[in-house]
Amino acid sequence: MKKFLSLACSSMMLISLVGCGSGTDTKKSDGNYVTLAKENDVISMDSRYATDGMSFEMIAATVEGLETMDKDGNIVPALAESYDVSDDGLIYTFHLRDAEWSNGTPVTAADFTYAWNATIKNPAAEYAYLFGSDGACIKNADEILAGDTDLDLAIAAKDEKTFEVTLAKQCPYFVSLISFPVFYPVNEAYATEQGDQYGLTADNLIANGPYKLVSWSKGNKLVLEKNDSYWDAENVKVDGINVNIVPEASTSALDFESGNTDFTKLNSTLVDKYKDNEAYTTVLEGYLWYLQYNYDNKYLQNENLRKAISTVIDREDLVENVLKDGSIVCGGFVPEALATGPDGKDYRESAPEYFNMLAEDGLKAAQEYWDKAKQELGVNEITLSLLYEPSDPS
């Protein structure tokens, strides 16, 4: 069968914003397994605490939430076969289909109430903010995030198959947002039994999604096999997925050439070599990388310094001459082709652009910001340290 070689999803967004890149799908290898090459290992398979893209990919393959996305990016029913919304738009009632975890335990509404409340009350859950007014707008979420741990989220298991969510205010994108892994269910009895080991090994996990993780050699390989107890198992056509952790794109490209890998991403140094290969393909993807300022640094507390650093980056030059991987310049934090705006168009088409000064214009603006920052900080020069992960295209 024809194999596909992917261009790197290298969405470098230095400092504040730069671009969104490309990626592709895979198909079956010989037999009924697919072998993928990924540059990073999974950090955690616990949907409550995972923060990285690789972990999200593997979690989404093994655990399913209320809603999910189809191949075209449309939100479609998953564990919730239907839902109702109150007239005021504040109460969502989800009706769960018959489904079970891979240990034979039924998936119930209580799995969602447990997971959501456990997430928002744990400071280690970085994406807990998505329950509040910056995300799903669930009632009581802002108060809990502010420290009121006596409260619970305004969610309820009305019965085993009925899950009710009350919002503090209308949230038009609520149903779309809950397809994100932090809103996935967790079986309380199993998670409690595993304790602090839950989600850290293949033996400390159960699945309710299309696949289950059967092997995980840290830093080396993950093996997923079809979950026969998945409610829609008859439509899962691939029996298993081998995920090899290969940090170097050049190595995974050689594995592809030798037939040992069905899918790999390319970095910018390999594009020219493979761009004429029939297996080479690119797909624009709503994926972004950015650098986070450390506000504990006395210099970076200065707004003009941060603007100088951000503005001096020539995003156009970066995507065209450094990344060379199909990434495009992006003028706002929401990348192109990620979401539709209120006008029905791609959000990026009508949203304001904040970083649209390039080349000489950007350099001139950066100099002005830097001059102001030096005056305000009372310095002529500063030294900053940059921490980044050891993978392409970092």
Side-chain angles (χ1 to χ4, degrees):
M1 304 183 73
K2 185 177 179 181
K3 299 177 181 178
F4 290 86
L5 187 67
S6 166
L7 184 66
C9 180
S10 51
S11 310
M12 286 299 289
M13 299 186 64
L14 288 181
I15 308 304
S16 293
L17 308 160
V18 173
C20 46
S22 44
T24 190
D25 202 354
T26 66
K27 60 193 306 181
K28 289 192 291 183
S29 62
D30 294 338
N32 212 18
Y33 275 70
V34 169
T35 298
L36 314 178
K38 296 285 187 175
E39 66 267 37
N40 294 314
D41 197 359
V42 169
I43 294 176
S44 173
M45 289 291 290
D46 189 336
S47 58
R48 297 170 295 179
Y49 310 127
T51 60
D52 62 293
M54 179 60 173
S55 296
F56 290 148
E57 286 185 50
M58 296 299 104
I59 291 171
T62 59
V63 182
E64 198 166 66
L66 296 167
E67 304 287 323
T68 190
M69 288 191 295
D70 64 14
K71 63 183 179 63
D72 298 316
N74 301 309
I75 298 299
V76 296
L79 289 178
E81 57 186 355
S82 65
Y83 65 90
D84 306 311
V85 186
S86 61
D87 291 340
D88 61 6
L90 297 180
I91 301 176
Y92 286 74
T93 304
F94 295 92
H95 306 285
L96 306 186
R97 66 177 79 250
D98 291 332
E100 64 181 42
W101 296 96
S102 54
N103 66 349
T105 304
V107 177
T108 69
D111 294 331
F112 288 93
T113 59
Y114 167 72
W116 292 18
N117 277 313
T119 301
I120 196 170
K121 292 185 178 183
N122 194 319
E126 293 187 30
Y127 279 98
Y129 78 90
L130 286 177
F131 290 94
S133 55
D134 289 332
C137 305
I138 299 174
K139 187 176 179 181
N140 294 342
D142 286 347
E143 290 81 359
I144 297 172
L145 290 169
D148 190 345
T149 55
D150 291 331
L151 283 175
D152 286 328
L153 288 171
I155 56 178
K158 308 302 287 186
D159 56 46
E160 284 197 350
K161 298 298 181 183
T162 309
F163 178 54
E164 183 181 271
V165 182
T166 301
L167 307 185
K169 61 182 179 181
Q170 289 188 6
C171 182
Y173 53 83
F174 174 72
V175 175
S176 297
L177 185 60
I178 58 175
S179 65
F180 189 68
V182 77
F183 295 97
Y184 286 0
V186 174
N187 182 273
E188 181 176 8
Y190 184 84
T192 301
E193 179 184 352
Q194 302 304 314
D196 60 6
Q197 295 302 300
Y198 178 75
L200 297 183
T201 72
D203 294 330
N204 302 113
L205 283 169
I206 51 175
N208 70 8
Y211 294 94
K212 54 186 179 182
L213 183 64
V214 297
S215 174
W216 181 6
S217 175
K218 299 291 178 68
N220 183 33
K221 184 176 183 178
L222 298 93
V223 178
L224 293 87
E225 293 184 354
K226 182 177 177 178
N227 179 13
D228 292 331
S229 63
Y230 176 51
W231 68 268
D232 198 26
E234 64 180 26
N235 287 316
V236 179
K237 305 304 182 184
V238 177
D239 288 333
I241 304 172
N242 298 311
V243 184
N244 295 323
I245 310 304
V246 187
E248 295 295 333
S250 57
T251 302
S252 60
L254 290 175
D255 285 342
F256 177 86
E257 288 186 3
S258 65
N260 295 323
T261 296
D262 302 308
F263 169 93
T264 185
K265 295 177 182 179
L266 299 179
N267 60 18
S268 57
T269 61
L270 295 173
V271 169
D272 289 340
K273 180 178 179 180
Y274 290 102
K275 64 183 179 182
D276 295 325
N277 190 307
E278 65 173 359
Y280 173 94
T281 186
T282 67
V283 178
L284 189 65
E285 188 176 63
Y287 189 100
L288 56 91
W289 284 18
Y290 60 93
L291 297 183
Q292 178 67 52
Y293 291 120
N294 179 1
Y295 289 95
D296 290 333
N297 182 290
K298 64 180 181 179
Y299 300 120
L300 291 173
Q301 292 173 9
N302 183 273
E303 181 178 356
N304 282 312
L305 174 60
R306 298 196 303 270
K307 287 182 176 180
I309 295 172
S310 182
T311 309
V312 78
I313 301 298
D314 188 338
R315 291 156 173 77
E316 192 171 74
D317 180 65
L318 180 62
V319 299
E320 292 180 0
N321 300 316
V322 180
L323 296 177
K324 298 187 294 183
D325 64 355
S327 293
I328 61 175
V329 173
C330 195
F333 200 74
V334 178
E336 189 172 314
L338 178 70
T340 301
D343 57 4
K345 300 178 181 178
D346 185 275
Y347 178 81
R348 197 70 268 151
E349 289 185 34
S350 51
E353 289 197 353
Y354 297 98
F355 299 94
N356 52 12
M357 291 179 289
L358 303 171
E360 291 302 318
D361 289 339
L363 190 62
K364 180 181 178 181
Q367 184 66 58
E368 293 174 356
Y369 287 133
W370 172 228
D371 289 340
K372 292 178 182 177
K374 287 191 294 183
Q375 183 176 3
E376 292 166 353
L377 293 169
V379 298
N380 288 318
E381 62 180 37
I382 61 171
T383 299
L384 299 173
S385 297
L386 174 63
L387 179 66
Y388 61 95
E389 63 179 86
S391 67
D392 258 324
S394 292

